[in-house]
Amino acid sequence: MVRHPCLQRSMFTRHQAQHQEGRPEHSQFTAADGVNEDLALNDQMIGILCSEDPGGMLQALEELEIATLNRADSDLEACRTHISKDVIALLLRGLSSRGHLAPQVERRMGAAFKKQFLMLEKEVQEEYDRKMVALTAECDLETRKKTEHQFQREAAAMEEAEELLKHVSERSAGECSSLLRTLHGREQEQLRRTLALQQEEDFARAHRQLAVFQRSELHSIFFAQIRSAVFRGDLQPEAAELLLQDYSRAQEDVEELMDFFQASKRCHLSKRFGHREYLVQNMQSAETRVQGLLSAAAAQLTLLIQKHERAGYLDEEQTEELMERAQTEVFSIKQKLDNDLKQEKKKLHQKLMVKRRREMLQKHKEQRREQQSVGEAFRAAEDVGQYLGQWRSLVAAQGAALEELQERLDQAALDELRALTLSLFEKATEELRRLQSSALTQELLKRGVPWLFLQQILEEHARELAARAEQLEAEERARDQEGVRSVRQRLKDDALEASAEEQAELRHWGRWVFMRLCGSPFSLSEEELLRMRQDVHSCFAQMDRSLALPRIRAHVLLQRLHTAWREAEFLKLDQALAAPEPQPQSKARKPRARSKSKTDLLRKCIEDKIQLFDGPAPEDLLDKVRAELRRERVQQLEAQEARFAESLVALQFQKAARAARTLRAYTALLSVQDLLLEELSESETLTKAACAQILDSHSPELQDLERKLEEELAHQEAAQRQRALAGRQQWAGDGPGLLTEPEDADSEGQVSAALRRALGLSQELLERQRQSSREEQERGAVLEDLLESVEADAFVGLYGQELRLASYLSKLTMVPAGTLRRLLSVALPAAPQPELLALLDSLSQKQPEPVAEHDGGGEQADLGRSGKHQGWWQALESRLRGELRSSGLERVLWARQRKESILRKTCPPLRERRVCSGDAGWPRLSLESGGDLVPVLVVGAEAVDLLNTGEKLFIFRNPAEPELSLHVPPRKKKNFLNAKKAAWAAGVD
């Protein structure tokens, strides 16, 4: 991960190119920039194969894979944005062709959309720049902190080791210091890789967040423009409804198309890098084989001289002379091999890059021309489905052709590079064998070595070298077979069919969940329904998986778990090193012996720690990574569902809160009215007949409000029922028409043909049925909101009537403002202070209404009332408190008695209760690092009254497929005013 800053700059360039793609003046520059970056990424494969460090080839390939996945994510996001814009333009064109939209309005809306899209691109670009700067600064700070902490740990370890190595020899101390430096180098390299991976994850997550934000904002722009057009009168509500329906269907098709693009890209890239990993391993295996042969041939030179020395044919001086000459020749041959290999690889690298760039550039030009043809087809397309179908076939064909070309180029590059490497190594090995059989043999014969003895050894060496070659070839074949199995498993995990099936199942589950949520007994206005549709599209736009982020996240989790496991092993080794030595039975050991033993333990501890870095990770870590990725993905899906459900519930809570505030104020007014009327009657300020006359004069207004409410409710329900009936008649007229044709029913062939047509059109009929069901649900929600609005308006009118009556009674009783405020605070104990002040101002501003004539005792009461003691008002307040307290106590006693009665009832055994039934096809989620499929159980709750107690028992079950009906369910008619009055009366009683 040391090349991460380059990847960061490349990512930044990709995003800039992505956001300029929609601008006509930059289209050619953007295409050239994207092609150049793609060529640069592909050139790195040649650099990896021609690398002089075979051990780092797989690490470099992993970095290249992550960079390519990031690049693919940017390309897919640019493609999604381009298709979404074209879909909106096609929908406007189709609406205009059907006569629902004027051409000038279409042009004006198209210009507005383009302007909004450009502003969005600019906003996203600025946000991306801001995020990259912030993340880079944050990552640099984190790197500096952790690096300083690592240096402090290393310094402390070195001081502790130096203290322990004071009493040992200089050689032992040097060996331990060298091992410790090696260990610290491994720890620093591990820290760099960990920080680089974390930075990659932060960048990929920020890129994903911006992509989701851009998708959501595209939907917001569309819905905002529709609202604006309807408000200006450019678009009729009926035409807007048609446009929204077409947009919803088109977005479902777009999401399915993008799922196919992503699954196809994931499959192609998995196949590409699986094949490249196999090529790299094949290259490493071939180099291992020829290096083994070269080492064996070089070792035979030394063995030949040593065997003659042990046989007594060479003295020590002759042996040293021959050994020195042999080592010099071996070093010369190996040095020449390294130089030739370096030079030839450099030449081949340039040759392969030129060839690869020429063919890749030619392929990109051809694909660019094909994409331009799709743009021309867009201008001639009549519907969205035709346009998306052209995109699907084009991308599938281009992806397959590009992957085939890259695989062929990678294989050709490996073949040439492998042939070059093998030829040079075989040439060097042949030189070593020739050196053994000619030059060294002549030197030995000159020194009087018997020919038969020498010939016997040479034949033995030839047989050993042939056996070693067979062994190395067998090992190479085994490694190649293991690589093939790894590639096949990778292709199986990321298969196109599995990914597409998983995403389709996930989409089906999402639609089912949202249909259940949207079909809940909620009331939604037209504006709220439009906002809900927008939220639905935003949620569906997040149900895919990016290509780079899951792979990076898997690497980060694996790295984190591996580091934690290694730290635990380090702790065990440190504890074993710090453990006190057992005391000997006879005498105490000498200090130098103890120091030597401690030094050996320290050396062994450091070697074990280094071995932990070189050794593989435990196998169970991969299972833990898969489980964590699965858990995170399930949480993401649940969070999307929860956010949408919370938005729906929040709307209903806001409506309920407004109604509850009005109802609380209305109940408080009734309580104050009752108290004031009672006080006026008891104080003989007004006679009972006068009080009754006041109430009777108030009744016609209430009856008039109730009559108007009933008329409005009946009118709205009749209109809604008429619209639903018209919609069902239209659907019933269109539906059978798809299947019925004038044919002779007696003919078996014609019946079979009709059945085949029916099966072919079944999907269209089901889609129409689902659409009809959704429309009925939406109409029911809008009707419910409309009726609630009518009821709320009537209740506000009723509240105004009661407010005027309460104001009139307060003026008759001459209640001071402070006392009236205390009375309202007692009647509304949970109301906030602003609400109380507003209600008090309303009471003081209402003017007394004309009432019937009474016996004239009011003026005398006014004069006498003003001189009364303030204790009278305090008694009034105390009376109200007592009445409210007694009514509250009665409610508590009633609730307690009801709970006791419920507890006394016998409950049926659990096995005799209702069984959760229904099974649905749940989405099965796979992972990047493994192909395990796990069901995501999404449970629904149903309230059931099992014991006839009035309290609900919520049963969570696997929900079955939603039942779609063509009939509007009958709405139970309710009288809002009577219900509220009955509720208030029950509370007061």
Side-chain angles (χ1 to χ4, degrees):
M1 307 304 288
V2 294
R3 291 191 293 273
H4 181 269
C6 299
L7 297 179
Q8 174 186 347
R9 289 192 294 270
S10 176
M11 186 178 180
F12 181 80
T13 307
R14 284 197 304 273
H15 198 77
Q16 281 184 326
Q18 169 188 348
H19 288 288
Q20 289 176 351
E21 188 160 349
R23 305 178 187 180
E25 61 272 19
H26 296 295
S27 59
Q28 294 180 356
F29 168 76
T30 303
D33 184 73
V35 170
N36 289 333
E37 186 179 356
D38 189 57
L39 293 176
L41 287 175
N42 279 282
D43 289 343
Q44 293 184 23
M45 184 58 195
I46 305 300
I48 291 173
L49 290 175
C50 297
S51 174
E52 299 178 5
D53 180 20
M57 295 172 71
L58 290 177
Q59 178 66 26
L61 185 63
E62 180 182 325
E63 297 173 6
L64 176 60
E65 181 179 9
I66 291 177
T68 306
L69 290 174
N70 283 322
R71 165 72 184 173
D73 279 330
S74 297
D75 290 343
L76 287 175
E77 202 61 36
C79 183
R80 173 191 286 269
T81 304
H82 179 72
I83 290 176
S84 298
K85 295 176 183 178
D86 289 350
V87 163
I88 292 176
L90 277 172
L91 291 177
L92 291 178
R93 185 191 305 171
L95 199 65
S96 176
S97 64
R98 295 196 298 266
H100 298 291
L101 188 66
Q104 61 272 17
V105 176
E106 178 194 354
R107 289 191 295 268
R108 186 162 59 246
M109 292 182 67
F113 276 123
K114 289 181 180 179
K115 181 179 179 182
Q116 292 291 327
F117 291 153
L118 289 176
M119 292 175 61
L120 175 61
E121 291 176 359
K122 183 179 179 181
E123 180 183 358
V124 172
Q125 180 65 51
E126 292 175 354
E127 182 64 21
Y128 181 79
D129 296 342
R130 191 160 48 247
K131 276 183 176 291
M132 290 300 103
V133 172
L135 284 176
T136 303
E138 184 179 353
C139 292
D140 290 344
L141 180 61
E142 184 72 15
T143 301
R144 186 161 55 251
K145 287 182 179 180
K146 290 192 174 182
T147 303
E148 292 176 357
H149 179 66
Q150 178 67 23
F151 286 159
Q152 292 174 2
R153 287 180 56 187
E154 292 177 2
M158 288 296 293
E159 291 179 2
E160 184 178 355
E162 289 176 0
E163 184 66 25
L164 186 62
L165 297 175
K166 284 182 179 180
H167 305 289
V168 299
S169 64
E170 184 177 353
R171 179 180 178 182
S172 298
E175 291 177 356
C176 287
S177 299
S178 176
L179 288 173
L180 198 57
R181 285 192 295 272
T182 302
L183 175 62
H184 292 165
R186 300 292 179 84
E187 290 178 345
Q188 292 174 10
E189 179 64 24
Q190 187 67 28
L191 179 62
R192 283 194 294 269
R193 291 185 60 187
T194 301
L195 293 174
L197 271 175
Q198 186 62 49
Q199 192 172 4
E200 281 285 356
E201 183 186 9
D202 294 338
F203 287 160
R205 200 174 296 279
H207 193 272
R208 170 69 177 180
Q209 290 174 356
L210 284 175
V212 171
F213 168 77
Q214 187 176 16
R215 298 175 190 178
S216 179
E217 287 301 309
L218 280 173
H219 295 308
S220 300
I221 289 173
F222 176 78
F223 283 94
Q225 288 296 326
I226 296 303
R227 293 190 193 96
S228 178
V230 173
F231 178 77
R232 292 194 307 266
D234 294 340
L235 193 63
Q236 296 299 322
E238 295 79 8
E241 183 65 24
L242 289 175
L243 182 59
L244 290 174
Q245 292 176 3
D246 294 341
Y247 184 77
S248 298
R249 286 192 292 267
Q251 284 304 315
E252 291 183 2
D253 295 338
V254 169
E255 295 298 337
E256 291 179 359
L257 179 65
M258 294 310 301
D259 290 341
F260 169 77
F261 286 173
Q262 195 174 74
S264 178
K265 181 65 73 172
R266 180 181 289 111
C267 178
H268 286 319
L269 291 181
S270 179
K271 181 180 178 182
R272 180 194 304 180
F273 283 96
H275 182 251
R276 286 180 174 180
E277 184 177 357
Y278 169 74
L279 295 182
V280 168
Q281 292 175 351
N282 189 283
M283 186 70 188
Q284 291 176 338
S285 181
E287 290 186 357
T288 301
R289 178 173 63 84
V290 293
Q291 283 179 354
L293 281 176
L294 185 65
S295 299
Q300 284 185 352
L301 296 176
T302 304
L303 288 175
L304 182 63
I305 299 173
Q306 291 176 350
K307 286 181 179 180
H308 282 82
E309 181 187 11
R310 287 194 297 268
Y313 297 114
L314 296 176
D315 56 17
E316 184 177 355
E317 182 179 356
Q318 292 174 341
T319 301
E320 290 181 357
E321 179 183 357
L322 289 176
M323 289 285 285
E324 183 178 356
R325 290 185 59 182
Q327 291 175 358
T328 302
E329 292 293 336
V330 169
F331 179 78
S332 175
I333 291 174
K334 287 187 176 181
Q335 188 69 25
K336 183 177 183 301
L337 172 64
D338 292 339
N339 293 333
D340 292 345
L341 194 60
K342 185 176 181 180
Q343 295 297 327
E344 294 298 328
K345 277 188 176 182
K346 187 176 180 180
K347 295 178 182 178
L348 184 59
H349 183 239
Q350 295 296 329
K351 173 187 173 183
L352 291 175
M353 282 187 61
V354 171
K355 177 183 177 182
R356 189 184 191 91
R357 276 184 171 267
R358 182 175 63 250
E359 296 196 26
M360 289 291 296
L361 188 60
Q362 180 65 27
K363 177 61 69 174
H364 278 291
K365 288 181 179 179
E366 294 177 1
Q367 294 188 352
R368 184 64 181 175
R369 286 194 296 268
E370 293 174 354
Q371 292 178 1
Q372 290 176 354
S373 66
V374 172
E376 296 175 357
F378 160 71
R379 288 187 286 272
E382 298 180 356
D383 58 355
V384 176
Q386 179 184 357
Y387 172 69
L388 297 181
Q390 291 174 350
W391 263 105
R392 184 185 184 98
S393 59
L394 175 67
V395 171
Q398 287 187 349
L402 189 61
E403 292 305 321
E404 182 181 356
L405 175 61
Q406 288 183 340
E407 183 176 350
R408 180 171 60 80
L409 292 175
D410 290 340
Q411 186 67 47
L414 175 72
D415 292 340
E416 294 192 34
L417 186 60
R418 180 173 176 172
L420 171 65
T421 304
L422 292 180
S423 64
L424 291 177
F425 269 95
E426 289 175 357
K427 182 179 179 181
T429 304
E430 188 63 29
E431 289 181 2
L432 288 177
R433 295 177 64 182
R434 189 166 51 250
L435 176 65
Q436 179 184 7
S437 60
S438 60
L440 188 57
T441 300
Q442 294 298 326
E443 290 292 334
L444 290 173
L445 291 175
K446 287 180 182 179
R447 287 166 171 77
V449 175
W451 167 247
L452 292 177
F453 182 75
L454 179 60
Q455 185 180 13
Q456 182 180 1
I457 295 178
L458 291 177
E459 291 176 355
E460 181 182 353
H461 281 185
R463 290 192 299 270
E464 290 178 356
L465 192 62
R468 180 59 177 165
E470 292 180 359
Q471 179 186 359
L472 291 173
E473 289 178 358
E475 293 176 357
E476 182 182 8
R477 286 194 299 270
R479 285 192 294 267
D480 290 345
Q481 292 176 0
E482 182 64 27
V484 170
R485 284 194 295 268
S486 177
V487 172
R488 288 177 178 174
Q489 183 63 36
R490 181 167 182 168
L491 294 179
K492 181 180 179 182
D493 296 340
D494 293 328
L496 174 62
E497 295 79 9
S499 299
E501 182 180 357
E502 173 196 340
Q503 197 63 26
E505 192 173 359
L506 189 62
R507 294 282 178 192
H508 174 73
W509 166 78
R511 293 190 189 97
W512 185 87
V513 169
F514 284 112
M515 281 185 63
R516 288 293 299 267
L517 289 175
C518 298
S520 302
F522 290 154
S523 60
L524 298 170
S525 64
E526 293 287 352
E527 180 68 22
E528 292 167 347
L529 185 61
L530 197 63
R531 195 185 317 159
M532 187 196 70
R533 288 179 176 177
Q534 179 181 338
D535 293 339
V536 168
H537 289 305
S538 298
C539 289
F540 271 104
Q542 303 178 37
M543 297 184 72
D544 63 328
R545 287 186 301 165
S546 62
L547 299 174
L549 185 56
R551 187 62 56 89
I552 296 173
R553 181 62 180 164
H555 290 173
V556 169
L557 290 175
L558 183 60
Q559 185 83 3
R560 190 176 299 167
L561 292 174
H562 197 183
T563 301
W565 171 80
R566 193 184 299 112
E567 290 294 334
E569 296 295 325
F570 282 2
L571 182 60
K572 293 178 183 178
L573 293 175
D574 293 337
Q575 290 175 351
L577 180 63
E581 297 182 8
Q583 295 296 332
Q585 297 293 333
S586 58
K587 299 192 213 174
R589 297 175 63 187
K590 294 182 180 180
R592 185 171 183 83
R594 286 199 300 269
S595 299
K596 184 177 180 181
S597 175
K598 201 70 174 179
T599 304
D600 294 339
L601 289 176
L602 177 62
R603 183 188 298 109
K604 183 67 168 59
C605 178
I606 297 175
E607 290 175 351
D608 291 343
K609 288 183 178 180
I610 295 175
Q611 186 65 30
L612 288 175
F613 279 102
D614 296 335
E619 295 181 358
D620 61 335
L621 295 186
L622 291 176
D623 297 333
K624 293 180 180 179
V625 169
R626 295 189 184 100
E628 181 64 20
L629 290 175
R630 184 185 304 123
R631 186 187 63 82
E632 290 179 355
R633 192 167 182 213
V634 170
Q635 286 181 347
Q636 291 173 359
L637 297 175
E638 291 176 348
Q640 291 178 16
E641 178 189 353
R643 280 194 296 268
F644 181 74
E646 287 172 2
S647 64
L648 281 178
V649 174
L651 290 175
Q652 308 307 313
F653 270 123
Q654 291 172 5
K655 296 179 181 181
R658 289 194 297 266
R661 284 196 300 268
T662 308
L663 184 59
R664 285 199 306 267
Y666 176 73
T667 306
L669 285 178
L670 292 182
S671 300
V672 172
Q673 286 179 17
D674 184 44
L675 189 66
L676 294 178
L677 283 172
E678 184 180 355
E679 184 59 34
L680 287 173
S681 177
E682 290 181 357
S683 63
E684 297 181 356
T685 303
L686 291 176
T687 62
K688 292 184 178 181
C691 293
Q693 190 175 4
I694 291 174
L695 294 178
D696 291 340
S697 64
H698 189 59
S699 296
E701 299 175 354
L702 302 181
Q703 294 174 359
D704 185 59
L705 283 174
E706 187 171 353
R707 180 182 55 79
K708 291 180 179 179
L709 174 61
E710 292 291 342
E711 292 177 355
E712 185 66 23
L713 291 178
H715 173 70
Q716 294 295 339
E717 287 187 346
Q720 182 68 12
R721 194 178 299 110
Q722 185 66 27
R723 286 194 294 268
L725 181 61
R728 287 198 302 272
Q729 290 176 351
Q730 180 182 1
W731 188 91
D734 295 341
L738 296 172
L739 301 177
T740 57
E741 290 185 4
E743 293 181 351
D744 186 6
D746 296 334
S747 175
E748 294 182 359
Q750 292 173 351
V751 171
S752 301
L755 289 176
R756 283 194 295 272
R757 281 197 306 275
L759 291 175
L761 296 173
S762 60
Q763 190 63 33
E764 183 177 355
L765 288 173
L766 289 175
E767 183 59 32
R768 288 198 177 198
Q769 186 181 14
R770 296 191 187 99
Q771 180 65 26
S772 176
S773 176
R774 286 195 293 266
E775 291 174 0
E776 289 182 0
Q777 290 175 355
E778 293 174 0
R779 284 196 297 266
V782 172
L783 175 62
E784 189 69 24
D785 180 80
L786 185 59
L787 297 180
E788 287 182 359
S789 300
V790 172
E791 292 172 348
D793 293 340
F795 189 76
V796 169
L798 174 62
Y799 175 74
Q801 296 290 342
E802 300 297 343
L803 191 62
R804 286 192 291 272
L805 178 58
S807 177
Y808 177 69
L809 294 177
S810 65
K811 291 181 182 297
L812 285 182
T813 54
M814 298 181 63
V815 181
T819 302
L820 187 59
R821 179 177 178 181
R822 286 195 298 272
L823 290 176
L824 291 175
S825 64
V826 172
L828 294 171
Q833 194 70 16
E835 184 178 344
L836 287 175
L837 294 178
L839 183 56
L840 186 63
D841 292 341
S842 300
L843 284 173
S844 62
Q845 290 175 4
K846 295 294 182 181
Q847 299 296 326
E849 296 181 353
V851 296
E853 295 291 337
H854 50 81
D855 55 0
E859 295 179 0
Q860 298 175 3
D862 291 343
L863 296 175
R865 182 76 62 188
S866 60
K868 283 196 173 186
H869 195 269
Q870 291 296 328
W872 187 84
W873 302 114
Q874 295 176 359
L876 190 68
E877 181 180 348
S878 300
R879 185 190 306 172
L880 179 60
R881 288 180 182 274
E883 292 178 356
L884 294 176
R885 190 181 298 111
S886 62
S887 63
L889 183 60
E890 290 177 359
R891 293 175 184 174
V892 171
L893 292 175
W894 174 82
R896 184 180 300 172
Q897 293 174 0
R898 185 170 181 81
K899 289 183 179 179
E900 290 177 356
S901 66
I902 293 174
L903 293 176
R904 283 195 297 268
K905 290 186 177 182
T906 58
C907 297
L910 183 62
R911 56 185 173 83
E912 296 181 5
R913 301 186 188 184
R914 297 184 58 178
V915 181
C916 298
S917 61
D919 54 346
W922 303 116
R924 304 172 67 85
L925 306 182
S926 65
L927 304 170
E928 286 294 331
S929 56
D932 299 337
L933 296 177
V934 294
V936 180
L937 298 181
V938 183
V939 295
E942 180 180 352
V944 180
D945 189 359
L946 290 180
L947 306 177
N948 296 322
T949 60
E951 294 191 358
K952 300 297 184 181
L953 173 64
F954 288 89
I955 295 179
F956 291 82
R957 65 181 69 247
N958 289 343
E961 290 293 330
E963 296 182 1
L964 305 179
S965 174
L966 298 180
H967 304 284
V968 177
R971 182 180 181 272
K972 186 176 180 180
K973 196 171 182 181
K974 61 181 180 179
N975 191 325
F976 184 78
L977 296 180
N978 292 338
K980 299 302 181 183
K981 288 179 182 178
W984 177 80
V988 172
D989 293 340

